[in-house]
Amino acid sequence: MNKERKENNEFKDEFISEIIEKGRYSISNEDFEDQILQKIHTNVNDKEEIISKIKLSLKFFCLGLVLIFVCLLGLILRDSLSDQNTNVLTYVLVLFFTTALGILSIENYKRVINNYSF
Amino acid sequence: MDNIYIDKVLSGDVDAFRYFVKTYKDMGFNLAVSIIKDEQYAEEIVQDAFMKAFKGLKSFKRTAKFKSWFYRIVVNEAFQRLRSNKKAPQLSYLEDSNEKLLEYLTEDVHGERTEKIRSVLKMLPPKEGLVLNLFYLEETSIKDISKITGWTRSNTKVILHRARKHTRLIWQKNIKNHE
């Protein structure tokens, strides 16, 4: 700490300080703050719109996934009830891969939504 | 204080970001001018820096000061602009600075001391102007300047030493003669 203070004191210079102080700038544009805030609001609104669209897309994706599950389960049930066991393994495999794909896609959706939100 | 406003912004109160703009716009502007040497470009740089700060606020680590983090964004943005924008005024320094300074002073368009001082400061290389602003205007320590600029401490000291020497040299040779 002392070393740091010593290091800084080494460069103390009233003359240079005065020059730098006198040459100080300030932003003359009075609307500067408003302009930035407006830009930020636009940015936030755009993000919100994108998020709402992504969420809608996610809903449809989930709906599609549920439909696939229902169809596959229906087929498995039908085949098992009618003693046609030939395709059950295929259905289970398809069900497994669809589930894995679904989970991965939903995770991806989450990541995208997180990127667009605070 | 900064942390309170960071929390507010992150919880969705976008208008709370005005506090940061109000507090750091002028210093950000000074840093940008010291690098790019042009007020108009500097204002654009500060605007872009604020937008970047807003977008990156989520990833800002509270271990550092917001101020240092924001100044680093301004400095990076300004150097990047300096490298990429050929239209930005590229002043060459000390070797021909006296001649240019005389030109500035004899023109004496504004006739104000502040303008003359600003002209002198604009003659300094970007790194020297930046380090002078950080050290003398913002009273940033050598250690923090190193963090903001990414230079080593010894390099920062060398640049600061050189900047002081150059400023005195230009001042003594030119300004005094014209007062």
Side-chain angles (χ1 to χ4, degrees):
Chain A
M1 196 70 182
N2 269 343
K3 194 185 166 193
E4 213 175 289
R5 202 177 296 157
K6 222 177 185 179
E7 188 180 60
N8 293 325
N9 285 340
E10 197 185 315
F11 289 97
K12 283 217 166 129
D13 190 325
E14 273 184 36
F15 171 73
I16 303 283
S17 283
E18 204 188 313
I19 287 188
I20 300 292
E21 185 58 46
K22 279 184 180 159
R24 177 196 278 264
Y25 289 88
S26 55
I27 294 182
S28 51
N29 180 2
E30 286 175 7
D31 297 330
F32 186 80
E33 286 171 31
D34 293 329
Q35 279 173 1
I36 290 180
L37 263 289
Q38 203 182 335
K39 267 189 180 182
I40 288 172
H41 276 291
T42 312
N43 185 271
V44 170
N45 291 341
D46 287 350
K47 274 184 176 180
E48 276 171 3
E49 204 182 317
I50 290 169
I51 285 177
S52 70
K53 281 181 181 166
I54 291 172
K55 279 182 179 168
L56 188 72
S57 144
L58 179 65
K59 273 180 197 165
F60 279 109
F61 177 76
C62 289
L63 194 74
L65 219 57
V66 169
L67 274 174
I68 290 172
F69 273 120
V70 169
C71 288
L72 280 171
L73 280 171
L75 286 172
I76 291 168
L77 280 173
R78 190 199 65 184
D79 284 0
S80 48
L81 285 174
S82 59
D83 290 335
Q84 293 173 352
N85 292 329
T86 45
N87 286 328
V88 171
L89 186 69
T90 320
Y91 290 142
V92 170
L93 277 174
V94 172
L95 203 63
F96 173 77
F97 285 114
T98 316
T99 311
L101 187 74
I103 290 167
L104 279 176
S105 303
I106 288 169
E107 280 302 312
N108 223 24
Y109 265 111
K110 271 187 193 168
R111 209 174 300 149
V112 174
I113 290 169
N114 274 338
N115 275 346
Y116 281 101
S117 60
F118 279 118
Chain B
M1 194 66 166
D2 285 356
N3 281 337
I4 297 170
Y5 281 94
I6 290 172
D7 289 334
K8 277 187 182 182
V9 175
L10 290 179
S11 62
D13 182 4
V14 175
D15 288 318
F17 197 75
R18 189 182 283 273
Y19 161 80
F20 296 109
V21 181
K22 207 172 232 170
T23 314
Y24 299 113
K25 66 173 181 177
D26 285 333
M27 193 55 209
F29 186 61
N30 274 289
L31 296 182
V33 172
S34 70
I35 296 168
I36 203 98
K37 317 286 181 194
D38 181 276
E39 286 88 337
Q40 206 181 329
Y41 279 113
E43 202 176 303
E44 282 172 24
I45 287 165
V46 179
Q47 275 204 8
D48 291 348
F50 273 119
M51 286 307 291
K52 277 194 175 173
F54 176 77
K55 286 176 188 170
L57 203 59
K58 194 170 67 172
S59 60
F60 168 63
K61 288 174 187 130
R62 309 281 178 104
T63 46
K65 289 177 197 162
F66 175 85
K67 186 169 81 169
S68 305
W69 180 67
F70 174 67
Y71 291 164
R72 187 165 185 141
I73 296 175
V74 174
V75 169
N76 287 342
E77 194 73 20
F79 276 118
Q80 202 180 327
R81 190 73 70 98
L82 194 66
R83 277 192 296 268
S84 64
N85 200 345
K86 303 280 183 227
K87 284 175 190 170
Q90 298 280 333
L91 298 178
S92 52
Y93 307 99
L94 242 60
E95 287 75 27
D96 58 355
S97 63
N98 290 350
E99 198 185 315
K100 277 186 177 164
L101 184 71
L102 276 171
E103 212 175 281
Y104 269 102
L105 296 175
T106 45
E107 275 177 14
D108 205 7
V109 182
H110 306 288
E112 286 173 15
R113 207 169 171 220
T114 311
E115 284 305 316
K116 286 177 184 174
I117 291 171
R118 284 178 179 173
S119 303
V120 168
L121 295 174
K122 275 184 184 174
M123 291 294 163
L124 292 169
K127 283 182 178 180
E128 292 181 13
L130 170 68
V131 85
L132 285 180
N133 270 287
L134 281 170
F135 191 81
Y136 294 105
L137 199 59
E138 187 63 16
E139 293 180 349
T140 314
S141 66
I142 305 270
K143 189 182 162 192
D144 287 342
I145 294 176
S146 304
K147 278 182 192 165
I148 292 169
T149 55
W151 308 329
T152 60
R153 269 163 93 154
S154 52
N155 195 16
T156 306
K157 283 204 246 177
V158 169
I159 294 169
L160 187 54
H161 179 73
R162 211 183 292 153
R164 279 169 64 198
K165 200 175 134 193
H166 287 168
T167 313
R168 273 180 189 278
L169 195 77
I170 299 172
W171 182 265
Q172 281 166 358
K173 279 192 178 172
N174 299 284
I175 296 288
K176 270 190 174 176
N177 298 335
H178 289 267
E179 276 185 345

